Amino acid sequence: MEEILTGELAWFYGIVPIKDEGECIELLIDETKFKEELQIELEIILGKKVKLIKTSTILVERELSKKYRNASKGNNDKKDDLQSDFLSEIIQEAISLKSSDIHFEIYEDYTRIRYRLDGVLVQKRTIDKELYLEFVNIIKIKSNLDITEKRLPQDGRTKLGGYDIRVSVIPTQFGEKIVMRVLGKSTDSLDLNILGFDEDELKSYLEAVQKSNGIVLISGPTGSGKTTTLYATLKLLNSIEKNIVTIEDPIEYVLDGVNQMQLNEDIGLTFSSALRSFLRQDPDIIMLGEIRDKETSSMAIRASLTGHLVLSTIHTNSALGTISRLVDMGVSPFLLSETINVTLAQRLVRKLCGCKKKVSFNSNDFPSSYKTLLKTKSYFKEVGCEKCHYTGFSGRRAIYEIVVVDNELATEISEKTNNFNKILKKRNIKTLADKAYDLVTKGETTPSEVYPILINAI
């Protein structure tokens, strides 16, 4: 029955013929491509009645690989077009799912495509091994990479569907693995009001970032949402009266009216060298993607002391840990007390889908030393459904630990005392662990999701 459909049509629509009764044909269709209007469209194309039977992407692609693997043999241009269309389809699917990364992986007996959704990888597709190898070459060509080099890692960039894509290729035991990072995303979601701040926290943060000079530092591990908070802050501060310059690695959002620069350490364009150049560009606001070393931190201090507002990120576990980290880098506590406006630590926590279930308290779900668990009699756990791709979670929210550096705290910093925690308790500042635990008691997330945060608080 393969002659009924061309390979190009079969792959394009995600359909496989399984029964031809003359006037009517039955087709398997990829459930992710099914639309009611497709039946009419296919009936016009095929000239007969069509019955569509929805099934999984994996099954359809397996059958397509068997029946139409060589459909474009002798016509490489069409074959390349087909692979390019498939790549565009994957990118669009990733964007619609709000996926940050796409993983293409090859093993001894199979290949797979996984999307990172809400911080967790979810498998969505498999493709034939032979097609995978061709697919790798298509991605390499589009990313200006060497298709003959299969022994060394390569990094490249491409643009698909209006989105910038960062491409990383590494050799593995059975072939090359590719990760594509989707950049240049929509800025519609960059709103400080919807990121997860409490009302009082947001008020304190806005007061700190709207000063004309000083340093705003956001801390947390990779994937904690620091960059999103930074961009949302820049979007708020962006105006015709302000000259804003940034150095980033990579540029994840394009902000109109902001002068954005891509880091390139291979040619000496580092955070510190860029910052040195920025000071000659008459800036009002400077954003550094990250403070990594003493030189960059010293330049940031200098910029803030000369009347600039500096925003940046740093890898620490808590808001006050940021201060200790900078002191370890060699920055004088006195200078920190003079320049830091606010230090903020954050994490991203997955939110439970509506398919969640209520369970009774079990001490094994919490760290043994976490005392506040005694208040909890029940909470919710994930189940999984089609809506949440059977993960049990849908979306994420940020939790924050925010410390505004005022005169009292500045004095403590400059005098190198160890009374920080006493001051926090006096001000009733909630820690990340407190915020995480609150989400469990409210039924918004699970103990397992916040377990690492609770352990760090012990």
Side-chain angles (χ1 to χ4, degrees), residues 331-396:
V331 179
S332 163
F334 172 75
L335 289 176
L336 292 178
S337 66
E338 287 289 308
T339 55
I340 294 182
N341 295 349
V342 63
T343 172
L344 179 152
Q346 73 176 82
R347 299 290 187 277
L348 285 178
V349 176
R350 289 188 296 167
K351 298 186 295 182
L352 280 165
C353 178
C355 60
K356 61 187 178 182
K357 65 177 179 180
K358 195 170 188 178
V359 298
S360 298
F361 169 76
N362 183 344
S363 61
N364 292 330
D365 287 337
F366 294 86
S368 58
S369 303
Y370 199 74
K371 304 300 182 183
T372 52
L373 60 82
L374 297 174
K375 301 175 184 177
T376 304
K377 295 182 179 179
S378 63
Y379 40 85
F380 288 87
K381 285 193 172 183
E382 69 274 22
V383 176
C385 65
E386 185 176 356
K387 182 180 178 182
C388 63
H389 308 286
Y390 300 96
T391 63
F393 296 90
S394 179
R396 293 187 290 180

